[in-house]
Amino acid sequence: MLTAIIDYESGNLHSAHKAFERMAREVDAGDVVVTADADVVAKADRIVLPGDGAFPACMAALKGAGGLYDAMVEAVEVKARPFLGICVGMQLMASLGREYEDTAGLGWIDGEVTKITPTDPALKVPHMGWNDLVLDHPHAVFEGLKTGDHCYFVHSYHMAVAQDAQRLAHVDYAGDVTAIIGRDTMLGMQFHPEKSQATGLRLIANFLTWKP
């Protein structure tokens, strides 16, 4: 089994790599590699797409990264490989991003990425720090977790999901903020699981053993 964390020069991948490696050893999920090689992504059994920065820049970097985009799309859409998007990697799964300019996303989740607008003006944007998950729909990756478990967020934009069934979890930040999305073999997490201590490590382990 091989899990490929896609490196398209969008963020520091060191902590994510270490967290996925650790949990892969614990659950006997094979090897984890950080790669910018489209051939490695094409043959991977699981794919992780991280992302830090603005939606348009991340999408442009992914599409310009030597065939990575096409290899990832084929692996997910045609081969139905389990996929996990993290932070902006999750946002890229949307139909449309509205950060700075309208930018087409992957279209895997019906929704738009819009700026967080808390109803309480005292709450700052970016949404930064720990927040408690509210689990909206059951999913295999939630095994051993519950509403109230907390994760670490750093973001100013979030996904407004058009289909309720595709928003698996949210947090309250003076209004609902999408935390986890998914359908079929695809998952996305707005927070950083590699920085979310026990909750994040459990989610990583569950993803690595998930058989959709």
Side-chain angles (χ1 to χ4, degrees):
M1 296 291 290
L2 176 66
T3 298
I5 301 176
I6 295 179
D7 180 7
Y8 59 114
E9 299 185 355
S10 177
N12 182 357
L13 304 182
H14 179 74
S15 58
H17 187 206
K18 293 301 180 185
F20 275 82
E21 275 192 326
R22 171 184 170 182
M23 300 318 296
R25 287 194 301 269
E26 290 195 13
V27 300
D28 193 23
D31 297 323
V32 178
V33 298
V34 173
T35 184
D37 188 333
D39 291 338
V40 174
V41 172
K43 69 181 183 182
D45 300 288
R46 297 173 191 276
I47 296 170
V48 179
L49 180 69
D52 288 312
F55 188 111
C58 287
M59 181 58 81
L62 181 60
K63 286 187 173 181
L68 280 177
Y69 179 88
D70 291 337
M72 181 189 74
V73 169
E74 181 177 3
V76 177
E77 293 185 357
V78 179
K79 300 176 183 175
R81 299 286 191 253
F83 171 91
L84 174 62
I86 296 174
C87 198
V88 180
M90 180 201 97
Q91 295 178 4
L92 295 180
M93 299 167 68
S95 307
L96 184 69
R98 295 194 179 277
E99 186 173 1
Y100 300 126
E101 61 188 39
D102 287 357
T103 305
L106 289 159
W108 292 344
I109 296 291
D110 186 10
E112 297 183 355
V113 176
T114 61
K115 192 170 181 63
I116 299 170
T117 54
T119 57
D120 181 353
L123 293 180
K124 296 180 179 180
V125 177
H127 171 219
M128 182 181 300
W130 296 91
N131 208 324
D132 293 344
L133 291 175
V134 178
L135 305 185
D136 296 310
H137 299 287
H139 195 282
V141 294
F142 294 156
E143 182 180 353
L145 301 174
K146 63 185 183 304
T147 289
D149 289 339
H150 55 278
C151 296
Y152 186 77
F153 293 78
V154 184
H155 63 124
S156 299
Y157 287 75
H158 78 121
M159 192 186 299
V161 179
Q163 298 185 40
D164 175 74
Q166 294 180 353
R167 191 186 77 172
L168 303 181
H170 72 278
V171 296
D172 179 19
Y173 196 65
D176 288 358
V177 172
T178 300
I180 304 176
I181 58 172
R183 71 170 180 88
D184 304 329
T185 64
M186 309 168 193
L187 286 168
M189 299 177 187
Q190 179 62 69
F191 51 89
H192 289 269
E194 75 278 9
K195 299 178 181 178
S196 297
Q197 299 181 357
T199 299
L201 292 176
R202 185 59 187 257
L203 284 164
I204 290 171
N206 288 347
F207 170 73
L208 290 171
T209 56
W210 178 41
K211 297 179 180 178

